[in-house]
């Protein structure tokens, strides 16, 4: 019955055996059995209902900027929400669809002279991914501006979650535990000076460009900040900058990033991650926990 999913949704772009390396920011990753690009909440609801009825596992992807999809790919149905990207200003709030780019949302806010989202000017995720991860930078994080979020529960029900319900903490929100699909988010901002907001965003972006290897594929900071330390400094001090396995390399520009320098596979990324974790634990005594989400299946060995 699952093979009929393409026929069941003639209006949805639905690809079979599609390589996810086309979509991930690292340019790595195996194939999705089925990859859908829903355009509306009702399409997501219908796809989730179909998947539940046919026992197809569901995976949600936003901009795939914090993701490693293993080389064996993802079984079942993968939804990429980037076709849902409306952003609206309502008084001092910005309401954005889950698939909207967070960078686009910061531009809309600036244009409306609304302050509060400047910190996110260079975070290359979607709104849904930013809520899921409680994305943050330069002293700001999504929890400071997220007012409420509309989600679809795994059972297929629509629900509104307030900031309180989302239980934000460092790179974590309740959405991760509930396995909800974020559909849209409302950000509460305050009136400011458009030029000043722009200047602050430019400053953050310049700092980012100076320190981060933005010219190469990556998944951002691979590891969470361990309490009392900086992951990048620990990796640098352990002498790991430039360490390479296959095509994946600990960035020589920012030790917290792993960049794709030569047609890396997801397995190359995972090998570098494990090596870094082992060496930093042995030499610095600190366990580095991954911030990047690692999903999918290991490749079948022949
Ligand atoms: C160059 C670079 C710089 C970065 N800088 C920062 C930074 O400064 N601060 C920071 O916090 N992060 C940073 N990141 C990481 C990343 O951009 C953020 O974590 C972002 O919030 C991830 O959003 P995404 O849409 O790409 O999520 P994805 O990578 O697509 O997914 C991440 C997780 O969120 C889940 N998810 C995505 N959308 C939804 C949804 N609608 N509903 C439910 N679950 C969903 C996925 O299942 C997955 O588990 C950076 C990444 C790069 C490549």
């Amino acid at each position: 019955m699952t093979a009929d999913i393409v026929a069941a949704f003639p209006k949805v772009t639905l690809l079979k055996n599609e390589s996810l390396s086309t979509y991930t920011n690292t340019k790595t990753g195996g194939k999705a059995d089925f990859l859908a690009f829903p355009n509306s909440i009702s399409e997501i609801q219908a796809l989730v209902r179909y998947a539940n009825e046919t026992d197809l596992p569901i995976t949600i992807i936003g901009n795939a900027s914090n993701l490693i999809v293993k080389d064996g790919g993802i079984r079942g149905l993968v939804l990429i929400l980037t076709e849902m990207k409306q952003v609206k200003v309502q008084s001092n709030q910005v309401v954005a669809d889950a698939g909207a780019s967070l960078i686009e949302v910061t531009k809309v806010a600036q244009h409306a002279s609304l302050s509060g989202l400047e910190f996110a000017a260079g975070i290359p995720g979607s709104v849904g991914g930013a809520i899921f991860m409680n994305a943050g930078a330069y002293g700001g994080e999504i929890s400071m501006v997220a007012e409420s979020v509309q989600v679809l529960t795994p059972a297929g029900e629509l629900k509104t979650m307030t900031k309180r319900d989302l239980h934000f903490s460092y790179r974590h929100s309740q959405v991760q535990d509930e396995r909800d699909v974020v559909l849209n988010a409302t950000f509460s901002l305050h009136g400011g000076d458009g030029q000043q907001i722009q200047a602050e965003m430019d400053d953050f972006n310049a700092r980012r460009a100076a320190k981060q290897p933005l010219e190469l594929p990556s998944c951002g900071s691979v590891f969470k900040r361990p309490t009392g330390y900086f992951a990048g400094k620990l990796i640098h001090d352990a002498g790991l900058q430039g360490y390479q396995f296959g095509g994946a390399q600990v960035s020589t520009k920012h030790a917290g990033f792993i960049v794709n320098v030569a047609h890396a596979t997801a397995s190359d990324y995972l090998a570098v991650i494990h090596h870094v974790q082992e060496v930093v634990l042995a030499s610095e005594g600190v366990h580095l926990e991954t911030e990047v989400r690692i999903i999918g299946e290991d490749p079948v060995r022949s």
Side-chain angles (χ1 to χ4, degrees):
M1 186 175 179
T2 53
D4 292 335
I5 186 169
V6 177
F9 293 92
K11 289 192 183 147
V12 179
T13 304
L14 232 162
L15 309 172
K16 234 173 127 172
N17 281 326
E18 175 73 355
S19 174
L20 291 166
S21 63
T22 312
Y23 307 93
T24 57
N25 221 73
T26 57
K27 301 291 161 218
T28 67
K31 292 179 179 177
D33 287 347
F34 299 100
L35 177 62
F37 295 83
N39 257 307
S40 63
I41 292 178
S42 55
E43 280 183 2
I44 297 179
Q45 271 183 304
L47 285 160
V48 167
R49 197 178 312 122
Y50 183 97
N52 283 344
E53 283 166 4
T54 54
D55 285 330
L56 270 184
I58 302 174
T59 304
I60 310 296
I61 293 183
N63 253 2
S65 65
N66 193 46
L67 211 55
I68 292 175
V69 177
K70 291 185 188 178
D71 292 320
I74 302 180
R75 301 291 72 79
L77 175 64
V78 177
L79 304 185
I80 291 192
L81 301 191
T82 49
E83 291 303 304
M84 292 176 56
K85 53 185 176 203
Q86 208 181 59
V87 183
K88 284 181 297 194
V89 176
Q90 289 174 353
S91 180
N92 69 339
Q93 294 189 322
V94 175
V95 184
D97 284 348
S101 120
L102 189 59
I103 292 176
E104 181 59 26
V105 175
T106 66
K107 288 181 183 168
V108 170
Q110 183 281 332
H111 194 69
S113 297
L114 289 175
S115 176
L117 267 170
E118 293 86 331
F119 73 89
I123 301 180
S126 68
V127 165
I131 294 285
F132 183 96
M133 291 302 299
N134 186 19
Y138 303 111
E141 60 177 30
I142 285 296
S143 65
M144 296 171 172
V145 285
E147 187 64 32
S148 64
V149 168
Q150 189 183 24
V151 298
L152 185 70
T153 67
E157 282 158 13
L158 292 174
K159 190 170 86 176
T160 299
M161 296 175 85
T162 63
K163 184 201 281 279
R164 223 162 204 256
D165 306 325
L166 287 162
H167 296 297
F168 286 117
S169 58
Y170 175 59
R171 298 297 172 266
H172 179 269
S173 76
Q174 186 70 13
V175 175
Q176 293 179 16
D177 305 331
E178 307 280 339
R179 302 178 55 79
D180 293 327
V181 184
V182 176
L183 301 172
N184 52 55
T186 300
F187 300 106
S188 268
L189 307 173
H190 56 272
D193 177 84
Q195 277 183 353
Q196 215 173 307
I197 293 167
Q198 186 62 57
E200 197 163 0
M201 287 165 56
D202 290 345
D203 175 48
F204 289 148
N205 279 334
R207 288 204 242 164
R208 208 176 260 283
K211 287 204 179 132
Q212 299 181 359
L214 302 182
E215 53 290 343
L216 288 167
S218 78
C219 49
S221 295
V222 175
F223 302 102
K224 289 184 181 170
R225 197 175 54 236
T227 312
Y229 299 92
F230 289 101
K233 181 161 182 342
L234 289 169
I235 297 166
H236 170 85
D237 292 351
L240 286 165
Q241 243 173 321
Y243 171 80
Q244 187 168 339
F245 184 94
Q249 184 192 63
V250 177
S251 166
T252 51
K253 191 168 176 185
H254 186 312
F257 282 56
I258 298 174
V259 285
N260 181 348
V261 287
H263 309 289
T265 61
S267 304
D268 294 344
Y269 261 84
L270 296 180
V272 174
I273 289 172
H274 292 145
H275 182 74
V276 168
Q277 284 175 321
E278 267 178 32
V279 173
V280 169
L281 184 60
S283 65
E284 315 289 323
V286 181
H287 170 66
L288 290 178
E289 196 188 328
T290 48
E291 172 176 328
V292 63
R293 311 290 295 187
I294 299 165
I295 60 174
E297 298 189 357
D298 290 319
V300 180
R301 298 198 186 279
S302 49

